[in-house]
Amino acid sequence: MNIFLKELKSHRKSLIFWSIGIFLMVTSGMVKYESLSSSGQPMNEMLAGMPKSLLAVLGIGEFDISTASGYYGLLYIYLLLMATIHSAMLGATIIAKEERDKTTEFLFVKPVSRNGAILAKLAAAFVNILILNIVTFVSSLVLVGKYSNGEVVTGDIAITMAGMFILQLLFMVIGSSLAAVKRKSKTAASFAAVILLLTYLISVVIDLNEGIEGLKYLTPFKYFEAKNIMFGGGLEFIYVLLSGGWIAVLTAVTFIFYKKRDLNV
Amino acid sequence: MNVIEIKNLTKMYGASRGISDISFTVEEGEIFGFIGPNGAGKSTTIRTLLSLIYPTSGSATIFGKDIVQFAPEIKKEIGYLPSEVFYYDNMKVKDLLNYSASFYKKDCRKRIKELANIMDLDLNKKIDDLSLGNKKKVGIVQGLLHEPKLIILDEPTSGLDPLMQQKFFELLEEENRKGATILFSSHILTEVQRLCNRVAIIKEGRIVAVEKISTLKENTYKKFKVETKSALDPHYFNLAGVNKLEVKDTHTSFLFKGNINEVMRKIADVEITNLWIEEPDLEEIFMHYYEKEA
């Protein structure tokens, strides 16, 4: 319990910054929507004139961006990227920082097992990503609601947040398992970021090239895309199962490898 | 009862040597010295005992319990002071000590105050702002606040001024009187000589000797210096048990271990003008262990 509280405290400041960041992201996105929709320009027509590849790279795809919910669907990928970067870095550093700061000789000579420490740290990270998810949820709800002209958005936003939370968890354990496995755990955070960017790139490439649709199981960014889960689509069972499986495996990897290996002192 | 029992403990870092085949025991109530130069494997041994790293082969027990299997349980009664202290930034001394105390299921507040008083440590400072010596003091308080039965110290005096060193040693002796067993690792012989009952000498990852300090000093070498009237045959004192024989004109010096009467008879047979017989200090004994196999 003491490690859990200590971790919550030491990540509090960074959580506040991330929360502010994600709030500003939603705000600036929706303010942009307002200026676009009030300028009277038919946005869908404008987009129709753009090449498909450009739309794919921008993540615009098939949204009706003249509605607030459609515009939010477009914004969602950026919120998702922010939240997953946060989780991946958090998962990696919360494990690796004892070795980075050379505090292993403090913590692990106390009557605490490796498993106990990891459990407390993952629990603290879990609370952090949950809070960031709630902040995103509430900011989205309030700001999208403000511009929705009566369109009901709560359900759509809730489902995207559910998808985002699953991916946050997944990237958190990607980070933590890297830190647990790697002897030089300091590099785990940057390694996790590389994996995140690579999987995101794969998802963009898949959008550009329909021939490689089959690769979609490889990248979590294809699991819960706004265009599929919003507007009544819902989370697909296969992807929930797949994410759940990965989360379980990587959590186990985190515990097992951290227990087995020599700590860097 | 043996508090620490190490059996054939080996730790390899990949192919390179950590420690190999180390065995020794530390009895309850002892202050046990663990001595060797930097890089000999003292810290590796200690970190293995604390299961920060795991043995490649061999085993060890503390309080009769296996160090790997029962690590968290054993550590309830261990206080450890590492050679370099690192703490979480942005914490006050007070917060760190309370955090440290929160791992033990007892009320340590009174002891923290006592120890801070003895070591003259300001509890309200930020750890980042402390000097090396003051950080070390935090380490000392942190290692002793739960009144452990076994205190493990790895090069504990670096960064402490002589006055604080003195207070620290007194503190350790006090803890020892109250029943704590102490494992004291160091490369400084005088501090080991001052505190310890027994020592293990480690060299290149292997134990070369485990001896009582008193035995080390009594039973080993005596330093002889003989001044004779006329120059001696350089091989005159060349008998079994003589070491480091040096002859310079009328001055002959050597180390001797064995039946002292034999040397005395030899000395009586020549005309001498002066004679010195000295106990070697620990430093010289120690160097002896190191040169013997070099």
Side-chain angles (χ1 to χ4, degrees):
Chain A
M1 199 60 186
N2 44 8
I3 300 178
F4 173 73
L5 294 175
K6 162 94 176 57
E7 292 299 348
L8 281 188
K9 206 175 165 193
S10 71
H11 286 274
R12 190 175 52 194
K13 210 184 247 170
S14 109
L15 180 62
I16 291 174
F17 283 125
W18 277 97
S19 299
I20 293 172
I22 221 151
F23 174 77
L24 289 179
M25 184 71 132
V26 181
T27 313
S28 62
M30 293 321 287
V31 166
K32 194 100 182 156
Y33 168 76
E34 190 196 18
S35 67
L36 277 175
S37 61
S38 60
S39 69
Q41 218 181 345
M43 281 183 280
N44 286 322
E45 271 171 42
M46 185 182 81
L47 286 180
M50 286 162 102
K52 186 169 181 290
S53 56
L54 182 65
L55 295 180
V57 171
L58 293 175
I60 294 173
E62 302 139 27
F63 293 109
D64 176 5
I65 61 165
S66 59
T67 66
S69 58
Y71 194 85
Y72 172 77
L74 180 85
L75 187 62
Y76 172 66
I77 184 66
Y78 298 103
L79 300 178
L80 182 64
L81 272 174
M82 273 183 82
T84 48
I85 289 172
H86 168 257
S87 327
M89 308 281 269
L90 178 65
T93 48
I94 207 166
I95 307 291
K97 67 178 180 179
E98 303 290 344
E99 287 168 283
R100 183 194 66 199
D101 300 338
K102 298 178 192 274
T103 45
T104 33
E105 273 188 318
F106 173 86
L107 184 59
F108 288 101
V109 301
K110 301 284 181 288
V112 56
S113 64
R114 302 255 181 112
N115 281 348
I118 294 291
L119 184 66
K121 281 167 175 281
L122 287 185
F126 181 87
V127 170
N128 270 275
I129 63 172
L130 182 65
I131 290 174
L132 190 65
N133 190 280
I134 292 171
V135 167
T136 317
F137 189 23
V138 172
S139 342
S140 304
L141 220 51
V142 171
L143 287 155
V144 178
K146 193 174 162 203
Y147 299 111
S148 65
N149 298 323
E151 186 191 354
V152 179
V153 290
T154 315
D156 280 333
I157 292 175
I159 198 87
T160 57
M161 285 304 115
M164 182 167 107
F165 189 64
I166 296 175
L167 294 190
Q168 279 177 292
L169 268 183
L170 177 56
F171 277 102
M172 175 185 99
V173 292
I174 287 176
S176 69
S177 57
L178 281 169
V181 170
K182 282 171 77 75
R183 186 88 167 82
K184 280 196 182 135
S185 55
K186 272 184 269 190
T187 57
S190 39
F191 210 81
V194 168
I195 290 183
L196 188 141
L197 289 177
L198 270 180
T199 48
Y200 176 66
L201 269 179
I202 293 174
S203 77
V204 172
V205 172
I206 293 172
D207 282 340
L208 289 174
N209 189 341
E210 276 155 16
I212 53 169
E213 266 276 309
L215 288 181
K216 68 186 175 188
Y217 297 101
L218 280 181
T219 165
F221 290 102
K222 278 306 225 183
Y223 291 2
F224 309 114
E225 286 185 292
K227 64 181 178 207
N228 298 330
I229 61 174
M230 286 172 81
F231 318 116
L235 305 179
E236 263 185 81
F237 179 68
I238 172 77
Y239 291 125
V240 176
L241 195 70
L242 199 57
S243 320
W246 274 117
I247 291 168
V249 167
L250 293 172
T251 306
V253 165
T254 307
F255 278 99
I256 293 167
F257 278 79
Y258 199 74
K259 191 177 167 60
K260 288 260 153 85
R261 84 170 158 90
D262 286 347
L263 296 174
N264 283 314
V265 275
Chain B
M1 196 193 110
N2 290 330
V3 171
I4 303 178
E5 224 175 301
I6 305 178
K7 282 184 212 133
N8 310 108
L9 198 67
T10 298
K11 174 68 191 175
M12 305 288 284
Y13 293 111
S16 64
R17 171 190 63 78
I19 48 173
S20 47
D21 205 23
I22 280 190
S23 301
F24 65 85
T25 58
V26 178
E27 287 158 28
E28 188 170 11
E30 259 192 312
I31 304 185
F32 189 91
F34 190 33
I35 193 146
N38 299 324
K42 300 188 296 290
S43 295
T44 302
T45 310
I46 287 173
R47 285 165 184 169
T48 312
L49 286 176
L50 294 167
S51 64
L52 294 168
I53 54 178
Y54 296 123
T56 311
S57 65
S59 64
T61 60
I62 292 180
F63 309 126
K65 290 173 186 143
D66 184 79
I67 49 163
V68 178
Q69 207 183 337
F70 296 99
E73 203 186 321
I74 290 169
K75 286 170 192 164
K76 286 179 192 163
E77 295 296 345
I78 294 182
Y80 172 56
L81 176 61
S83 51
E84 286 176 87
V85 285
F86 292 98
Y87 294 122
Y88 306 95
D89 291 342
N90 262 320
M91 267 180 127
K92 280 185 181 172
V93 174
K94 200 165 48 180
D95 299 332
L96 180 97
L97 293 175
N98 286 336
Y99 182 45
S100 186
S102 70
F103 286 91
Y104 306 100
K105 289 185 179 61
K106 46 175 118 170
D107 186 1
C108 309
R109 277 174 297 184
K110 193 168 148 250
R111 189 65 184 147
I112 290 175
K113 281 211 184 93
E114 283 172 11
L115 289 167
N117 258 334
I118 297 172
M119 295 312 293
D120 193 19
L121 178 67
D122 184 351
L123 292 177
N124 289 311
K125 280 212 165 147
K126 279 213 161 192
I127 291 183
D128 298 351
D129 300 337
L130 294 183
S131 67
L132 182 65
N134 278 321
K135 272 190 189 156
K136 201 85 191 195
K137 290 185 196 170
V138 179
I140 293 168
V141 177
Q142 191 267 127
L144 299 178
L145 56 82
H146 55 297
E147 295 168 88
K149 288 193 185 124
L150 171 63
I151 302 168
I152 298 181
L153 308 157
D154 192 359
E155 309 261 1
T157 52
S158 62
L160 285 182
D161 63 54
L163 195 70
M164 275 304 147
Q165 242 177 64
Q166 186 59 30
K167 280 188 176 172
F168 174 49
F169 283 176
E170 279 163 14
L171 194 59
L172 288 178
E173 279 165 338
E174 178 61 30
E175 288 297 310
N176 182 243
R177 259 194 301 279
K178 284 194 277 179
T181 307
I182 299 175
L183 175 64
F184 188 105
S185 143
S186 178
H187 66 276
I188 303 161
L189 282 136
T190 44
E191 46 182 54
V192 170
Q193 195 168 2
R194 149 110 161 67
L195 272 180
C196 301
N197 317 111
R198 285 199 305 148
V199 283
I201 299 175
I202 185 170
K203 178 191 176 186
E204 288 167 14
R206 290 175 184 277
I207 298 289
V208 290
V210 180
E211 292 262 28
K212 280 189 175 165
I213 291 270
S214 52
T215 326
L216 268 185
K217 295 194 71 182
E218 284 161 19
N219 266 359
T220 50
Y221 293 70
K222 299 235 183 299
K223 254 187 347 193
F224 280 84
K225 236 164 45 179
V226 187
E227 199 182 342
T228 48
K229 215 160 190 176
S230 52
L232 274 183
D233 170 15
H235 300 294
Y236 184 75
F237 282 108
N238 218 345
L239 19 122
V242 167
N243 253 311
K244 282 202 182 174
L245 182 63
E246 275 173 41
V247 184
K248 254 188 233 156
D249 297 328
T250 58
H251 285 78
T252 306
S253 68
F254 55 88
L255 295 174
F256 179 76
K257 182 184 188 181
N259 185 351
I260 203 155
N261 292 303
E262 290 172 28
V263 192
M264 294 312 287
R265 268 193 288 275
K266 274 284 213 187
I267 292 172
D269 282 347
V270 290
E271 190 88 352
I272 62 170
T273 54
N274 214 339
L275 171 68
W276 300 263
I277 306 175
E278 287 170 6
E279 296 279 334
D281 57 27
L282 205 50
E283 195 94 21
E284 283 165 298
I285 297 166
F286 181 68
M287 287 318 290
H288 165 76
Y289 278 107
Y290 269 76
E291 280 164 11
K292 198 163 59 180
E293 292 166 43

